[in-house]
Amino acid sequence: MCAIPLSTDAMRARLFLPLTLLLAVGEAGSVAAQAGDPGDVDFVLVEKAARRLTLYSQGRAVRVYNAIQLGGAPVGAKHFEGDERTPEGRYTIDYGNPDSAYHLSLHISYPSPRDTAYARAHGRSPGGMIMIHGQPNGWAAGRAPGDWTDGCIALSNAQIEQLWETVGDGTPIEIRP
């Protein structure tokens, strides 16, 4: 689990962040490409091996984030609760949580029915609460080192603020190996 769940109303609530945060690049080298205003993001692509998250609008890459952080065992698809892997496949960003244990979080719709069936066939739970989020609340040293989540995708706090403003509920996300 990566974040603390809230009521439906609180989860759907989005914080207003100043436009200056949207324009902030964040850590040096963490945003490889910025093709202007991302506009309406309609697709998110995560490439685990490349440590890259790309935002798309109308089929065009509009923002790229490098150096994303993953689960503690990043190679391979998530199959079971506690395996510390980040899922692979097609999901949806289905809600945001402004009050998570991390600096903002966007929930990914894992597990899919297929993920659940696989885990149950092996007598296990698929887990859940997979998020894209910032750094742990109270973490003052920039970014936590290495791959440290339980299967989530972690960004810098400035990066998650940008996603928070540009990625809406219902946005498709594909997570590739």
Coordinates of all heavy atoms in Angstrom, one line a residue, residues 15-105:
L15 N -6.6 19.8 -5.4 CA -6.1 21.1 -4.9 C -5.7 22.0 -6.0 O -5.2 21.6 -7.1 CB -4.8 20.8 -4.1 CG -5.0 20.0 -2.8 CD1 -3.6 19.7 -2.2 CD2 -5.9 20.6 -1.8
F16 N -5.9 23.3 -5.8 CA -5.5 24.3 -6.8 C -4.1 24.6 -6.5 O -3.7 25.0 -5.4 CB -6.4 25.6 -6.7 CG -5.8 26.7 -7.6 CD1 -6.0 26.6 -9.0 CD2 -5.1 27.7 -7.0 CE1 -5.5 27.6 -9.8 CE2 -4.5 28.7 -7.8 CZ -4.8 28.6 -9.2
L17 N -3.2 24.4 -7.5 CA -1.8 24.8 -7.3 C -1.5 25.9 -8.2 O -1.9 25.9 -9.4 CB -0.9 23.6 -7.6 CG -1.1 22.4 -6.7 CD1 -0.2 21.2 -7.2 CD2 -0.6 22.8 -5.3
P18 N -0.7 26.9 -7.8 CA -0.4 28.0 -8.7 C 0.3 27.6 -10.0 O 0.9 26.6 -10.1 CB 0.6 28.8 -7.9 CG 0.4 28.4 -6.5 CD -0.1 27.0 -6.5
L19 N 0.0 28.4 -11.0 CA 0.6 28.1 -12.3 C 2.1 28.0 -12.3 O 2.7 27.2 -13.0 CB 0.1 29.2 -13.3 CG 0.6 29.0 -14.8 CD1 0.1 27.7 -15.3 CD2 0.1 30.2 -15.6
T20 N 2.7 28.7 -11.4 CA 4.2 28.6 -11.3 C 4.7 27.2 -10.9 O 5.7 26.8 -11.4 CB 4.7 29.6 -10.2 OG1 4.0 29.3 -9.0 CG2 4.5 31.0 -10.6
L21 N 3.9 26.5 -10.2 CA 4.3 25.1 -9.9 C 4.2 24.2 -11.2 O 5.0 23.3 -11.4 CB 3.4 24.5 -8.8 CG 3.6 25.1 -7.4 CD1 2.6 24.5 -6.4 CD2 5.0 24.9 -6.9
L22 N 3.2 24.5 -12.0 CA 3.0 23.8 -13.2 C 4.2 24.0 -14.1 O 4.6 23.1 -14.9 CB 1.7 24.2 -13.9 CG 1.4 23.6 -15.3 CD1 1.2 22.1 -15.1 CD2 0.1 24.2 -15.9
L23 N 4.7 25.2 -14.1 CA 5.9 25.5 -15.0 C 7.2 25.1 -14.4 O 8.2 25.1 -15.1 CB 5.8 27.0 -15.3 CG 4.6 27.5 -16.0 CD1 4.6 29.0 -16.2 CD2 4.4 26.8 -17.4
A24 N 7.2 24.8 -13.1 CA 8.5 24.4 -12.5 C 9.0 23.1 -13.1 O 8.3 22.2 -13.3 CB 8.3 24.3 -11.0
V25 N 10.3 23.1 -13.3 CA 10.9 21.9 -13.9 C 11.3 20.9 -12.8 O 11.3 19.7 -13.0 CB 12.2 22.3 -14.7 CG1 12.9 21.0 -15.1 CG2 11.8 23.1 -15.9
G26 N 11.5 21.4 -11.6 CA 11.8 20.4 -10.5 C 13.3 20.2 -10.5 O 14.1 21.1 -10.8
E27 N 13.8 19.0 -10.2 CA 15.2 18.7 -10.0 C 15.9 18.7 -11.4 O 15.3 18.4 -12.4 CB 15.3 17.3 -9.4 CG 14.7 17.1 -8.1 CD 14.8 15.7 -7.6 OE1 15.2 14.8 -8.3 OE2 14.3 15.5 -6.4
A28 N 17.1 19.2 -11.3 CA 17.9 19.3 -12.6 C 18.0 17.9 -13.3 O 18.3 16.9 -12.6 CB 19.3 19.8 -12.2
G29 N 17.7 17.9 -14.5 CA 17.8 16.7 -15.3 C 16.6 15.7 -15.2 O 16.6 14.7 -15.8
S30 N 15.6 16.1 -14.3 CA 14.5 15.1 -14.1 C 13.5 15.2 -15.2 O 12.7 14.3 -15.4 CB 13.9 15.3 -12.8 OG 13.3 16.6 -12.7
V31 N 13.4 16.3 -15.9 CA 12.5 16.5 -17.0 C 13.3 16.6 -18.3 O 13.9 17.6 -18.5 CB 11.5 17.7 -16.8 CG1 10.6 17.9 -18.0 CG2 10.7 17.6 -15.6
A32 N 13.3 15.6 -19.1 CA 14.1 15.5 -20.3 C 13.6 16.4 -21.4 O 14.3 16.9 -22.2 CB 14.3 14.1 -20.7
A33 N 12.2 16.4 -21.5 CA 11.7 17.2 -22.7 C 10.4 17.9 -22.2 O 9.6 17.3 -21.5 CB 11.3 16.3 -23.8
Q34 N 10.2 19.1 -22.6 CA 9.0 19.8 -22.3 C 8.6 20.5 -23.6 O 9.2 21.5 -24.0 CB 9.2 20.8 -21.2 CG 9.1 20.2 -19.8 CD 9.2 21.2 -18.7 OE1 10.2 21.3 -18.1 NE2 8.2 22.0 -18.5
A35 N 7.6 20.0 -24.2 CA 7.1 20.6 -25.5 C 6.0 21.6 -25.2 O 4.9 21.4 -25.6 CB 6.6 19.5 -26.4
G36 N 6.3 22.7 -24.4 CA 5.3 23.7 -24.1 C 4.3 23.2 -23.1 O 4.5 22.3 -22.4
D37 N 3.2 23.8 -23.2 CA 2.1 23.5 -22.3 C 1.5 22.1 -22.6 O 1.2 21.8 -23.7 CB 1.0 24.5 -22.4 CG -0.2 24.3 -21.5 OD1 -0.2 23.5 -20.6 OD2 -1.3 25.0 -21.7
P38 N 1.4 21.2 -21.6 CA 0.9 19.9 -21.9 C -0.5 19.8 -22.2 O -1.0 18.8 -22.7 CB 1.2 19.1 -20.6 CG 1.3 20.2 -19.5 CD 1.8 21.4 -20.2
G39 N -1.3 20.9 -22.1 CA -2.7 20.9 -22.5 C -3.4 19.8 -21.8 O -3.2 19.5 -20.6
D40 N -4.4 19.2 -22.5 CA -5.1 18.1 -21.9 C -4.4 16.8 -22.1 O -4.4 16.3 -23.3 CB -6.5 18.0 -22.6 CG -7.4 19.2 -22.2 OD1 -7.3 19.7 -21.1 OD2 -8.1 19.7 -23.1
V41 N -3.8 16.2 -21.1 CA -3.2 15.0 -21.2 C -4.2 13.9 -21.3 O -5.2 13.8 -20.5 CB -2.3 14.7 -19.9 CG1 -1.8 13.3 -19.9 CG2 -1.1 15.7 -19.9
D42 N -4.1 13.0 -22.3 CA -5.1 12.0 -22.6 C -4.5 10.6 -22.5 O -5.2 9.6 -22.7 CB -5.8 12.2 -23.9 CG -4.9 12.3 -25.1 OD1 -3.8 11.8 -25.1 OD2 -5.3 13.0 -26.1
F43 N -3.2 10.5 -22.2 CA -2.6 9.2 -22.1 C -1.2 9.3 -21.3 O -0.5 10.3 -21.5 CB -2.3 8.6 -23.5 CG -1.7 7.2 -23.4 CD1 -2.4 6.1 -23.1 CD2 -0.4 7.0 -23.8 CE1 -1.8 4.8 -23.0 CE2 0.2 5.8 -23.8 CZ -0.5 4.7 -23.4
V44 N -1.0 8.3 -20.4 CA 0.3 8.3 -19.7 C 1.0 7.0 -20.0 O 0.4 5.9 -20.0 CB 0.0 8.4 -18.2 CG1 1.3 8.3 -17.4 CG2 -0.7 9.7 -17.8
L45 N 2.3 7.1 -20.3 CA 3.1 5.9 -20.6 C 4.2 5.8 -19.6 O 5.0 6.8 -19.5 CB 3.6 5.9 -22.0 CG 4.6 4.8 -22.4 CD1 3.9 3.4 -22.4 CD2 5.2 5.1 -23.8
V46 N 4.3 4.7 -19.0 CA 5.5 4.4 -18.0 C 6.3 3.3 -18.6 O 5.8 2.2 -19.0 CB 5.0 4.0 -16.6 CG1 6.1 3.6 -15.7 CG2 4.1 5.1 -16.0
E47 N 7.6 3.6 -18.8 CA 8.6 2.6 -19.2 C 9.5 2.3 -18.1 O 10.4 3.1 -17.8 CB 9.3 3.1 -20.4 CG 8.4 3.4 -21.6 CD 9.0 4.2 -22.7 OE1 9.1 5.5 -22.4 OE2 9.5 3.7 -23.7
K48 N 9.3 1.2 -17.4 CA 10.0 0.8 -16.2 C 11.5 0.8 -16.4 O 12.2 1.4 -15.6 CB 9.4 -0.4 -15.6 CG 8.0 -0.3 -15.0 CD 7.3 -1.6 -14.6 CE 8.2 -2.6 -14.0 NZ 7.4 -3.8 -13.5
A49 N 11.9 0.0 -17.4 CA 13.4 -0.2 -17.6 C 14.1 1.1 -17.9 O 15.2 1.3 -17.5 CB 13.6 -1.2 -18.6
A50 N 13.4 2.0 -18.6 CA 14.0 3.3 -19.0 C 13.8 4.3 -17.8 O 14.4 5.4 -17.9 CB 13.4 3.8 -20.2
R51 N 13.1 3.9 -16.8 CA 12.8 4.9 -15.7 C 12.2 6.2 -16.2 O 12.6 7.3 -15.8 CB 14.0 5.2 -14.9 CG 14.7 4.0 -14.3 CD 14.0 3.6 -13.1 NE 14.8 2.6 -12.4 CZ 14.4 1.5 -12.0 NH1 13.2 1.1 -12.2 NH2 15.2 0.6 -11.4
R52 N 11.2 6.0 -17.1 CA 10.6 7.2 -17.8 C 9.1 7.2 -17.7 O 8.5 6.1 -17.9 CB 11.1 7.2 -19.2 CG 10.6 8.3 -20.1 CD 11.3 8.4 -21.4 NE 11.3 7.1 -22.1 CZ 12.4 6.5 -22.6 NH1 13.6 7.1 -22.4 NH2 12.4 5.4 -23.2
L53 N 8.5 8.3 -17.5 CA 7.0 8.5 -17.6 C 6.8 9.6 -18.6 O 7.4 10.7 -18.5 CB 6.5 8.9 -16.2 CG 5.0 9.1 -16.0 CD1 4.6 8.7 -14.6 CD2 4.5 10.5 -16.4
T54 N 6.0 9.4 -19.6 CA 5.7 10.3 -20.7 C 4.2 10.6 -20.7 O 3.4 9.8 -20.6 CB 6.1 9.7 -22.0 OG1 7.5 9.3 -22.0 CG2 6.0 10.8 -23.1
L55 N 3.9 11.9 -20.8 CA 2.5 12.4 -20.9 C 2.2 12.7 -22.4 O 3.1 13.3 -23.1 CB 2.3 13.7 -20.1 CG 2.6 13.6 -18.6 CD1 2.4 15.0 -17.9 CD2 1.8 12.5 -17.9
Y56 N 1.1 12.3 -22.8 CA 0.7 12.5 -24.2 C -0.6 13.3 -24.3 O -1.5 13.1 -23.5 CB 0.4 11.1 -24.9 CG 1.7 10.4 -25.2 CD1 2.3 9.5 -24.3 CD2 2.3 10.5 -26.5 CE1 3.4 8.9 -24.5 CE2 3.5 9.8 -26.7 CZ 4.0 9.0 -25.8 OH 5.2 8.3 -26.0
S57 N -0.7 14.1 -25.3 CA -2.0 14.8 -25.7 C -2.2 14.6 -27.2 O -1.3 15.0 -28.0 CB -1.8 16.3 -25.3 OG -3.0 16.9 -25.7
Q58 N -3.3 14.1 -27.6 CA -3.6 13.8 -29.0 C -2.5 13.1 -29.7 O -2.2 13.5 -30.8 CB -4.0 15.2 -29.6 CG -5.2 15.8 -29.0 CD -5.5 17.2 -29.6 OE1 -5.0 17.6 -30.5 NE2 -6.5 17.8 -29.0
G59 N -1.9 12.1 -29.1 CA -0.9 11.3 -29.7 C 0.5 11.9 -29.8 O 1.4 11.3 -30.3
R60 N 0.7 13.0 -29.1 CA 2.0 13.7 -29.1 C 2.5 13.8 -27.7 O 1.8 14.2 -26.8 CB 1.7 15.2 -29.7 CG 3.0 16.0 -29.8 CD 2.7 17.4 -30.4 NE 1.8 18.2 -29.6 CZ 2.3 19.1 -28.7 NH1 3.5 19.3 -28.5 NH2 1.4 19.8 -28.0
A61 N 3.8 13.4 -27.6 CA 4.4 13.5 -26.3 C 4.6 14.9 -25.9 O 5.1 15.7 -26.7 CB 5.8 12.8 -26.3
V62 N 4.1 15.3 -24.7 CA 4.1 16.7 -24.3 C 5.0 17.0 -23.1 O 5.4 18.1 -22.8 CB 2.7 17.3 -24.1 CG1 1.9 17.4 -25.4 CG2 2.0 16.5 -23.0
R63 N 5.3 15.9 -22.4 CA 6.2 16.1 -21.2 C 6.8 14.7 -20.9 O 6.1 13.7 -20.9 CB 5.5 16.6 -20.0 CG 6.5 17.0 -18.9 CD 5.9 18.0 -18.0 NE 5.9 19.3 -18.6 CZ 5.2 20.3 -18.3 NH1 4.3 20.2 -17.3 NH2 5.2 21.5 -18.9
V64 N 8.1 14.7 -20.6 CA 8.8 13.4 -20.2 C 9.5 13.6 -18.9 O 10.2 14.6 -18.7 CB 9.9 13.1 -21.3 CG1 10.6 11.8 -20.9 CG2 9.2 12.9 -22.7
Y65 N 9.3 12.7 -18.0 CA 9.9 12.7 -16.7 C 10.9 11.5 -16.6 O 10.4 10.3 -16.8 CB 8.9 12.5 -15.6 CG 7.9 13.7 -15.5 CD1 6.7 13.6 -16.2 CD2 8.2 14.8 -14.8 CE1 5.8 14.6 -16.2 CE2 7.3 15.9 -14.8 CZ 6.1 15.8 -15.5 OH 5.2 16.8 -15.5
N66 N 12.1 11.7 -16.4 CA 13.1 10.6 -16.2 C 13.4 10.4 -14.7 O 13.0 11.2 -13.9 CB 14.4 11.0 -16.9 CG 14.2 10.9 -18.5 OD1 13.8 9.9 -19.0 ND2 14.5 12.0 -19.1
A67 N 14.1 9.3 -14.5 CA 14.5 9.0 -13.1 C 13.3 8.7 -12.2 O 13.4 9.0 -11.0 CB 15.4 10.1 -12.5
I68 N 12.3 8.1 -12.7 CA 11.1 7.7 -11.8 C 11.6 6.6 -10.9 O 12.6 5.9 -11.2 CB 9.9 7.3 -12.6 CG1 10.2 6.1 -13.5 CG2 9.4 8.5 -13.5 CD1 8.9 5.5 -14.1
Q69 N 11.0 6.5 -9.8 CA 11.3 5.5 -8.8 C 10.2 4.5 -8.7 O 9.0 4.8 -8.9 CB 11.6 6.1 -7.4 CG 12.8 7.0 -7.4 CD 12.8 7.9 -6.2 OE1 12.0 8.7 -6.0 NE2 13.8 7.6 -5.4
L70 N 10.5 3.2 -8.6 CA 9.6 2.1 -8.6 C 9.6 1.3 -7.3 O 10.2 1.7 -6.4 CB 9.9 1.2 -9.8 CG 9.9 1.9 -11.2 CD1 10.5 1.0 -12.2 CD2 8.6 2.4 -11.6
G71 N 8.9 0.2 -7.4 CA 8.9 -0.8 -6.3 C 10.3 -1.3 -6.0 O 11.2 -1.3 -6.9
G72 N 10.5 -1.8 -4.8 CA 11.8 -2.3 -4.4 C 12.4 -3.5 -5.2 O 13.5 -3.8 -5.2
A73 N 11.5 -4.2 -6.0 CA 11.9 -5.3 -6.9 C 11.3 -4.9 -8.2 O 10.3 -5.5 -8.7 CB 11.3 -6.6 -6.4
P74 N 11.9 -4.0 -9.0 CA 11.3 -3.4 -10.1 C 11.2 -4.3 -11.4 O 10.4 -4.0 -12.3 CB 12.2 -2.2 -10.4 CG 13.5 -2.5 -9.9 CD 13.2 -3.4 -8.7
V75 N 11.9 -5.3 -11.5 CA 11.9 -6.1 -12.7 C 10.8 -7.2 -12.6 O 10.6 -7.9 -11.6 CB 13.3 -6.9 -12.9 CG1 13.2 -7.8 -14.1 CG2 14.4 -5.8 -13.0
G76 N 10.0 -7.2 -13.7 CA 8.8 -8.1 -13.7 C 7.5 -7.4 -13.3 O 7.5 -6.4 -12.7
A77 N 6.4 -8.0 -13.7 CA 5.1 -7.5 -13.4 C 4.7 -7.8 -12.0 O 5.1 -8.8 -11.4 CB 4.1 -8.1 -14.4
K78 N 3.9 -7.0 -11.4 CA 3.3 -7.2 -10.1 C 2.3 -8.4 -10.2 O 1.4 -8.3 -11.1 CB 2.6 -6.0 -9.5 CG 2.0 -6.2 -8.2 CD 1.6 -4.9 -7.5 CE 1.5 -5.0 -6.0 NZ 2.7 -5.4 -5.3
H79 N 2.4 -9.3 -9.3 CA 1.5 -10.4 -9.3 C 0.8 -10.6 -8.0 O -0.4 -11.0 -7.9 CB 2.2 -11.8 -9.6 CG 2.6 -11.9 -11.1 ND1 1.8 -11.8 -12.1 CD2 3.9 -12.0 -11.6 CE1 2.5 -11.9 -13.3 NE2 3.7 -12.1 -12.9
F80 N 1.5 -10.2 -6.9 CA 1.0 -10.5 -5.6 C 1.3 -9.4 -4.6 O 2.3 -8.6 -4.7 CB 1.7 -11.8 -5.0 CG 1.7 -13.0 -5.9 CD1 2.8 -13.5 -6.4 CD2 0.4 -13.5 -6.3 CE1 2.8 -14.6 -7.2 CE2 0.4 -14.6 -7.1 CZ 1.6 -15.1 -7.6
E81 N 0.4 -9.2 -3.6 CA 0.6 -8.2 -2.6 C 1.9 -8.5 -1.9 O 2.3 -9.7 -1.6 CB -0.5 -8.4 -1.6 CG -0.5 -7.3 -0.5 CD -1.7 -7.4 0.4 OE1 -2.5 -8.3 0.3 OE2 -1.9 -6.5 1.2
G82 N 2.7 -7.5 -1.7 CA 4.0 -7.6 -1.0 C 5.2 -8.0 -1.9 O 6.3 -8.1 -1.4
D83 N 5.0 -8.2 -3.2 CA 6.1 -8.6 -4.0 C 7.0 -7.4 -4.4 O 8.0 -7.5 -5.0 CB 5.7 -9.4 -5.3 CG 4.8 -8.6 -6.2 OD1 4.7 -7.3 -6.1 OD2 4.3 -9.2 -7.2
E84 N 6.6 -6.2 -4.0 CA 7.3 -4.9 -4.2 C 7.6 -4.6 -5.7 O 8.5 -3.9 -6.1 CB 8.6 -4.9 -3.5 CG 8.4 -4.9 -2.0 CD 9.7 -4.6 -1.2 OE1 10.8 -4.7 -1.8 OE2 9.6 -4.3 0.0
R85 N 6.7 -5.2 -6.6 CA 6.8 -4.9 -8.0 C 5.8 -3.9 -8.4 O 4.7 -3.8 -7.9 CB 6.7 -6.2 -8.8 CG 7.8 -7.1 -8.6 CD 7.7 -8.3 -9.5 NE 8.9 -9.2 -9.3 CZ 8.9 -10.4 -9.8 NH1 7.9 -10.9 -10.4 NH2 10.0 -11.1 -9.6
T86 N 6.1 -3.1 -9.5 CA 5.2 -2.2 -10.1 C 4.4 -2.9 -11.2 O 5.1 -3.7 -12.0 CB 6.0 -1.0 -10.7 OG1 6.7 -0.4 -9.6 CG2 5.0 0.0 -11.3
P87 N 3.1 -2.8 -11.3 CA 2.3 -3.5 -12.3 C 2.8 -3.2 -13.7 O 3.4 -2.2 -13.9 CB 0.9 -3.0 -12.1 CG 0.9 -2.4 -10.7 CD 2.3 -1.9 -10.4
E88 N 2.4 -4.1 -14.6 CA 2.6 -3.9 -16.0 C 1.3 -4.1 -16.7 O 0.6 -5.0 -16.3 CB 3.7 -4.8 -16.6 CG 5.1 -4.5 -16.0 CD 6.1 -5.5 -16.4 OE1 5.8 -6.5 -17.1 OE2 7.3 -5.4 -15.9
G89 N 0.9 -3.3 -17.7 CA -0.3 -3.4 -18.4 C -1.0 -2.1 -18.6 O -0.5 -1.1 -18.3
R90 N -2.3 -2.2 -19.0 CA -3.1 -1.0 -19.2 C -4.1 -0.9 -18.1 O -4.8 -1.8 -17.7 CB -3.9 -1.2 -20.5 CG -3.0 -1.1 -21.7 CD -3.8 -1.2 -23.0 NE -3.0 -0.7 -24.1 CZ -3.0 0.6 -24.6 NH1 -3.8 1.5 -24.0 NH2 -2.3 1.0 -25.6
Y91 N -4.1 0.4 -17.5 CA -5.0 0.7 -16.4 C -5.5 2.1 -16.6 O -5.4 2.6 -17.7 CB -4.2 0.6 -15.1 CG -3.5 -0.7 -14.9 CD1 -2.2 -1.0 -15.2 CD2 -4.3 -1.8 -14.3 CE1 -1.7 -2.2 -15.0 CE2 -3.7 -3.0 -14.1 CZ -2.4 -3.3 -14.5 OH -1.9 -4.5 -14.3
T92 N -6.1 2.7 -15.6 CA -6.7 4.0 -15.6 C -6.2 4.8 -14.4 O -6.2 4.2 -13.3 CB -8.2 3.9 -15.7 OG1 -8.6 3.2 -16.8 CG2 -8.8 5.3 -15.8
I93 N -6.0 6.0 -14.5 CA -5.8 6.9 -13.4 C -7.3 7.2 -13.0 O -8.0 7.9 -13.7 CB -5.1 8.2 -13.7 CG1 -3.7 8.0 -14.4 CG2 -5.0 9.1 -12.5 CD1 -2.7 7.3 -13.5
D94 N -7.7 6.7 -11.8 CA -9.1 6.8 -11.5 C -9.5 7.9 -10.4 O -10.6 8.2 -10.3 CB -9.8 5.5 -11.2 CG -9.0 4.6 -10.2 OD1 -8.0 5.1 -9.6 OD2 -9.4 3.5 -10.0
Y95 N -8.5 8.3 -9.6 CA -8.8 9.4 -8.7 C -7.5 9.9 -8.1 O -6.4 9.3 -8.1 CB -9.7 9.0 -7.5 CG -9.2 7.9 -6.6 CD1 -8.4 8.3 -5.5 CD2 -9.6 6.6 -6.7 CE1 -8.0 7.3 -4.6 CE2 -9.1 5.6 -5.9 CZ -8.3 6.0 -4.8 OH -7.9 5.0 -3.9
G96 N -7.6 11.1 -7.6 CA -6.4 11.7 -6.9 C -6.7 11.8 -5.4 O -7.8 11.9 -4.9
N97 N -5.6 11.7 -4.6 CA -5.7 11.8 -3.2 C -4.8 12.9 -2.7 O -3.6 12.8 -2.7 CB -5.3 10.5 -2.5 CG -5.4 10.5 -1.0 OD1 -5.6 11.5 -0.4 ND2 -5.3 9.3 -0.4
P98 N -5.4 14.1 -2.3 CA -4.5 15.2 -1.8 C -4.0 15.0 -0.4 O -3.1 15.7 0.0 CB -5.5 16.4 -1.9 CG -6.8 15.8 -1.6 CD -6.8 14.4 -2.3
D99 N -4.5 14.0 0.3 CA -4.1 13.8 1.7 C -3.4 12.5 1.9 O -3.5 11.9 3.0 CB -5.3 13.9 2.6 CG -5.9 15.3 2.6 OD1 -5.2 16.3 2.6 OD2 -7.2 15.4 2.5
S100 N -2.6 12.0 0.9 CA -2.0 10.7 1.1 C -0.8 10.9 2.0 O -0.4 12.0 2.4 CB -1.6 10.2 -0.3 OG -0.4 10.8 -0.7
A101 N -0.1 9.8 2.3 CA 1.1 9.7 3.1 C 2.3 10.2 2.3 O 3.4 10.3 2.9 CB 1.3 8.3 3.6
Y102 N 2.1 10.5 1.0 CA 3.1 11.0 0.2 C 2.6 12.3 -0.4 O 1.4 12.7 -0.4 CB 3.4 10.0 -1.0 CG 3.7 8.7 -0.4 CD1 2.7 7.7 -0.1 CD2 5.0 8.3 0.0 CE1 3.0 6.5 0.5 CE2 5.3 7.1 0.6 CZ 4.3 6.2 0.9 OH 4.5 5.1 1.5
H103 N 3.5 13.1 -1.0 CA 3.2 14.4 -1.5 C 2.3 14.2 -2.8 O 2.8 14.0 -3.9 CB 4.4 15.2 -1.9 CG 4.1 16.6 -2.3 ND1 3.6 17.6 -1.4 CD2 4.2 17.2 -3.5 CE1 3.4 18.7 -2.1 NE2 3.7 18.5 -3.3
L104 N 1.0 14.3 -2.6 CA -0.1 14.1 -3.6 C 0.0 12.6 -4.2 O 1.1 12.1 -4.2 CB 0.0 15.1 -4.7 CG -0.1 16.5 -4.3 CD1 0.1 17.4 -5.5 CD2 -1.5 16.8 -3.7
S105 N -1.1 12.1 -4.6 CA -1.0 10.8 -5.2 C -2.2 10.6 -6.2 O -3.3 11.2 -6.0 CB -1.1 9.7 -4.2 OG -2.3 9.7 -3.5

